Amino acid sequence: MIRATGRIATDRSPAIVVGLDCITGLQSTRIFSARGIPVVGVVGDPHHFCARTRLPVAIVRAPLRGEPLIDALVGLGERLDQPGVLVPCTDAAVLAISASRDRLAESFRLVLPDHADVERLMDKVGFAEHAIAAGLAIPPTAVLRSRADAEGAAASLSFPAVLKPGLKGPAWLAATKAKAIRVETPDELLARFDEMRDWADVLIAQSWVPGPERSLYSVNTYYDRSSTQRVSFVARKLRQWPLDTGTSCLGEEVRSPEAEAIARNLFGSVRYRGLGYVEAKADERTGRLMIIEPNIGRPTGRSAIAEMGGVELLMSAYHDALGEALPASLEQRFRGVKWIYWRHDLQAALVRARRGELSAGDWLKSISGPKIEAVFARRDPLPFVADVVNTSGAVIAAARRRLAAAVLGRMRSRPAVTAQPAVDAGRDPAHRTP
């Protein structure tokens, strides 16, 4: 990691990984670096464990959203001697870059849908309304802009259900790390709506699609500058963390023509260009796949499973942005490749084991086979070490807080001790010193 302070000279166009300080950014950096592409990493938190990479990456520190990000990228562009290929790794970065693409066009290359389509598909409210109008397969959904909307959803949706924001803005992120909040009853939906209405301007309520984690499928895809689909890679979750509404911590590549058709229907409903991702879940009652959410214009944490499976997903985006021929490896080979984030998978497996849902043997079997690892890499071990150290520190701190709370609780629960007056030596006990 090299902090970039002056001119950045490279022998070919660098990949500008916006959000190196997340797992998606770290994996993207490793993929580009392994293929000889110079990388500039834009980080909001240089102390994040993913930013501890020892790969030869030039680091630029900047906010990862809004005008401050764009200003930083404009300044970065003035220091590049080759046009950079922008690879935003967060939704906020995609939105900011898409809105300011004209300011960035001189120094950077990027393939994205029109900005109106970026906003429509990225905002869960806009996407829900678009999906209903286009006849896309989504669960029963209600848009909540008021208490009256919430009451209508409580009366009409089936339960359990989930509540989620249109966009995860600063208020939502300050309140929770969860992507969505599960509610079991109509009354709980109303109570949580009252609690969460300050976290986001608009909320989405959506009926829960019943089925295990293994029924969650994902499609990573790439549409070139002419809106032609060039890459498609299908995987499914085996475990996720947190358990109900979390992100994948163990997944595997699979065949699913239905999932591929779902993705084509979604991205074909607009003039799509660039990287795309859609997650869909098979309803255990009907077997029908329902769209849970799309990700627009960026790689995801599980994108690296495509490269491990022989599909050059990110390199397709890189070459197409520069107007170059795409790589030869564009078809999924079905090698049984898996993707794992060890820390989260151990957490999920332990909870499953406590519930009696997973044995040690079943866990070992589930993680067997060829794998791409989210954080650990033999040639770049420091992010993994930093993640373990940070987690250990958090666990110890939490244990200390629990111990202190327990001790304080015991002290408060003890009956009060009343001081007894002393008895003077040689005097009758009835005559006590006050």
Side-chain angles (χ1 to χ4, degrees), residues 217 219 232 234 254-264 289 334:
Y217 292 81
V219 181
S232 179
V234 185
V254 294
R255 297 176 189 267
S256 177
E258 186 181 358
E260 290 185 288
I262 284 275
R264 284 195 299 271
L289 278 176
F334 304 106

Side-chain angles (χ1 to χ4, degrees), residues 33-73:
S33 183
R35 287 150 182 79
I37 307 299
V39 177
V40 178
V42 182
V43 302
D45 177 11
H47 303 294
H48 190 278
F49 66 86
C50 288
R52 302 296 183 89
T53 178
R54 285 298 177 260
L55 295 174
V57 179
I59 295 295
V60 174
R61 185 174 182 178
L64 298 182
R65 62 173 62 240
E67 284 301 312
L69 169 61
I70 302 306
D71 292 340
L73 289 176

Side-chain angles (χ1 to χ4, degrees), residues 148-396:
D149 290 337
E151 291 169 356
S156 62
L157 293 180
S158 59
F159 286 82
V162 292
L163 288 170
K164 48 191 176 182
L167 289 170
K168 289 188 287 186
W172 178 275
L173 296 173
T176 180
K177 294 181 180 179
K179 297 194 303 180
I181 306 294
R182 176 166 162 155
V183 293
E184 302 296 330
T185 65
D187 287 342
E188 187 181 359
L189 183 148
L190 293 174
R192 293 310 299 264
F193 173 80
D194 291 338
E195 176 188 355
M196 297 162 57
R197 63 193 311 175
D198 292 334
W199 302 359
D201 294 334
V202 186
L203 293 169
I204 291 288
Q206 199 167 64
S207 291
W208 183 261
V209 179
E213 294 160 318
R214 297 175 68 92
S215 62
L216 282 159
Y217 292 81
S218 62
V219 181
N220 280 291
T221 188
Y222 182 75
Y223 281 73
D224 66 18
R225 290 175 297 165
S226 65
S227 296
T228 300
Q229 186 184 41
R230 303 298 296 273
V231 176
S232 179
F233 189 94
V234 185
R236 70 173 175 182
K237 287 183 180 178
L238 297 178
R239 273 186 296 277
Q240 62 183 356
W241 183 256
L243 296 183
D244 290 329
T245 58
T247 57
S248 178
C249 55
L250 179 66
E252 65 177 353
E253 65 164 327
V254 294
R255 297 176 189 267
S256 177
E258 186 181 358
E260 290 185 288
I262 284 275
R264 284 195 299 271
N265 290 340
L266 166 58
F267 295 115
S269 66
V270 297
R271 190 165 181 267
Y272 198 81
R273 297 183 294 269
L275 289 167
Y277 169 97
V278 61
E279 183 175 76
K281 188 175 184 180
D283 189 321
E284 65 181 1
R285 300 165 299 189
T286 65
R288 186 185 179 200
L289 278 176
M290 310 293 287
I291 296 173
I292 302 301
E293 65 175 0
N295 283 314
I296 305 303
R298 65 176 179 86
T300 68
R302 277 76 59 206
S303 294
I305 194 175
E307 274 79 8
M308 183 68 175
V311 175
E312 292 286 2
L313 179 68
L314 293 188
M315 290 302 294
S316 295
Y318 173 86
H319 286 297
D320 192 46
L322 295 171
E324 300 172 352
L326 270 60
S329 300
L330 299 177
E331 295 186 6
Q332 191 168 353
R333 301 179 187 178
F334 304 106
R335 297 170 171 172
V337 173
K338 295 178 179 178
W339 180 97
I340 188 167
Y341 180 18
W342 284 109
R343 177 165 67 84
H344 280 180
D345 192 61
L346 286 169
Q347 289 175 280
L350 285 171
V351 174
R352 292 287 185 205
R354 288 174 188 161
R355 295 179 180 179
E357 299 169 352
L358 185 70
S359 69
D362 289 338
W363 179 73
L364 289 172
K365 183 179 179 180
S366 71
I367 64 172
S368 64
K371 289 181 290 295
I372 180 72
E373 297 172 6
V375 179
F376 179 75
R378 289 180 178 84
R379 295 182 178 180
D380 185 28
L382 281 183
F384 177 79
V385 173
D387 189 21
V388 171
V389 170
N390 291 347
T391 303
S392 301
V395 169
I396 292 170

Side-chain angles (χ1 to χ4, degrees), residues 91 95 117-130 145 165-168 202 204 294 296:
D91 288 341
L95 276 173
D117 290 329
V118 170
E119 289 186 311
R120 180 180 297 115
L121 298 181
M122 188 173 291
D123 183 342
K124 291 180 176 61
V125 174
F127 172 68
E129 294 171 341
H130 171 75
R145 292 186 171 91
L167 289 170
K168 289 188 287 186
V202 186
I204 291 288
I296 305 303

